[in-house]
Amino acid sequence: MPPELPGTRTRAERFDDLVLDAVERLERRWAEPMAAVEFAVEDVPPGDSAAWERPEVALGRFFPATRTQRARIVLYRRPLETRSTDEADLASLVHEVVVEQVAAATGMTPEQVDPRYRADDD
């Protein structure tokens, strides 16, 4: 298969594309506040959760800026993949987590960041 076709992309690369799509959708509306935040993907969250975090496995995390680093939002690929049933479900879940983390980074509610946001009622 030619390398430019989607079938040759790894699962991690396809996940990165989902994150980029979610970020780009929000940047159209919130370019200025999001300019100060960088995004990253890790396979799994570190084992050292913060005291204020819930004991469940994190899907994403916001790290405030320090003197030496910009604010950062990290999404955790494996926990997100585990919780989704298919590619469409994964895309939706990635978008929800990006919205939640952008809300945490900007001090807005998820509904302000994306009016179509729907919190999972589980």
Side-chain angles (χ1 to χ4, degrees), residues 60-72:
R61 189 181 285 172
F62 167 63
F63 295 92
T66 65
R67 281 193 230 177
T68 58
Q69 288 189 321
R70 292 175 45 187
R72 173 180 277 196

Side-chain angles (χ1 to χ4, degrees), residues 21-92:
D21 290 345
V23 170
E24 287 172 358
R25 285 173 49 190
L26 295 178
E27 280 181 333
R28 290 184 205 127
R29 184 171 182 187
W30 302 107
E32 190 173 322
M34 288 180 63
V37 179
E38 62 183 32
F39 291 82
V41 172
E42 296 289 337
D43 283 337
V44 294
D48 59 336
S49 60
W52 63 86
E53 293 180 316
R54 293 182 241 161
E56 61 214 26
V57 175
L59 302 178
R61 189 181 285 172
F62 167 63
F63 295 92
T66 65
R67 281 193 230 177
T68 58
Q69 288 189 321
R70 292 175 45 187
R72 173 180 277 196
I73 291 174
V74 178
L75 274 75
Y76 300 111
R77 182 176 66 85
R78 297 295 305 240
L80 285 160
E81 288 175 337
T82 300
R83 284 169 178 74
S84 54
T85 56
D86 57 27
E87 192 76 17
D89 188 41
L90 179 58
S92 177

